[in-house]
Amino acid sequence: EHIIQLSRKHKLPIISIHKPKAFVGLHPAIFFKKMIHLLDFFPDLLLSNYHLSGFINIIKTHPRSLHRFAQMAKEHNKIVTFESNPKFFNTLYPKEVYIPEIFAEFCMRHKLPMTFDTSHIADHGYDIVTFFKKYHKYIHLIHLSDYHNGVEHLPLGEGSLPIKKLLQEIKSVEWNRLIVFEIGKFPGAGNKKEKIEHLKKSLDMVRKYT
């Protein structure tokens, strides 16, 4: 309710929510029912994103139930998407949740819409442009940020990723789904104003090349 109040106050629609709840010891039917209720709570919502690692028990036992979850959301005119992990804590999880190609093939096999997190993919040494070219038809959301030497979620242009080339590829294939900035680190920014400048430059870069 508080989030909706803020949305109305600032006249900003809530079109995407990120990992609203990790999968815990609930029966899938109960968990999915709760999540669908949450999706319906936000009238402007287009999609909801989850880390695939949050469904580790389902992946091991009944991976097709994730497809059912995606279908349930679609029936409510919403989309649920799944993203891969960076390297952190990956020894605890199956390879499907963090190795870029294995993750993508798993999502394609079970008809799961993908989130493409540029920092997460780059953290495994995988080229982000190659990943997008290969899987763009199955990607429904992009978490866009720059990356350098293990530091994730940098403003665009502050890392070493080929962001310009990626944006040009996005334009060339006429990919027209959601892009979300997931930027949480601001090198050299000492105050809020400087952080806002970083975000403005990132936005200008997206507008320039797409």
Side-chain angles (χ1 to χ4, degrees), residues 1 10 42 75 90 119 130 139 155 158 171 208-209:
E1 288 88 351
H10 297 288
F42 297 99
E75 291 166 5
N90 281 337
S119 282
T130 299
I139 295 170
E158 293 297 316
K171 183 176 182 178
K208 181 178 180 179
Y209 293 110

Side-chain angles (χ1 to χ4, degrees), residues 103-148:
F103 158 75
E105 296 298 329
F106 177 88
C107 289
M108 290 167 57
R109 186 164 65 253
H110 295 289
K111 300 179 180 179
L112 303 178
M114 273 190 279
T115 292
F116 167 33
D117 186 304
T118 53
S119 282
H120 291 186
I121 298 301
D123 199 37
H124 291 278
Y126 201 100
D127 180 71
I128 60 170
V129 179
T130 299
F131 187 90
F132 180 80
K133 283 183 176 180
K134 191 170 183 178
Y135 302 112
H136 69 270
K137 292 181 180 179
Y138 308 94
I139 295 170
H140 285 254
L141 173 66
I142 295 176
H143 282 176
L144 187 61
S145 65
D146 216 328
Y147 172 94
H148 184 68

Side-chain angles (χ1 to χ4, degrees), residues 3-20:
I3 293 173
I4 289 179
Q5 288 174 9
L6 288 174
S7 173
R8 291 171 178 167
K9 177 181 177 181
H10 297 288
K11 297 181 181 179
L12 292 172
I14 300 165
I15 61 174
S16 175
I17 54 178
H18 178 38
K19 203 175 66 169

Side-chain angles (χ1 to χ4, degrees), residues 136-179:
H136 69 270
K137 292 181 180 179
Y138 308 94
I139 295 170
H140 285 254
L141 173 66
I142 295 176
H143 282 176
L144 187 61
S145 65
D146 216 328
Y147 172 94
H148 184 68
N149 285 348
V151 181
E152 302 176 50
H153 306 309
L154 296 168
L156 306 189
E158 293 297 316
S160 56
L161 296 186
I163 298 294
K164 174 183 173 181
K165 190 173 181 181
L166 173 65
L167 294 174
Q168 291 173 329
E169 183 64 26
I170 288 171
K171 183 176 182 178
S172 71
V173 300
E174 298 182 343
W175 188 89
N176 61 354
R177 293 166 175 167
L178 287 181
I179 297 177

Side-chain angles (χ1 to χ4, degrees), residues 71-82:
Q71 284 297 110
M72 288 172 63
K74 190 173 182 180
E75 291 166 5
H76 287 246
N77 296 315
K78 317 288 185 184
I79 295 174
V80 293
T81 64
F82 298 87

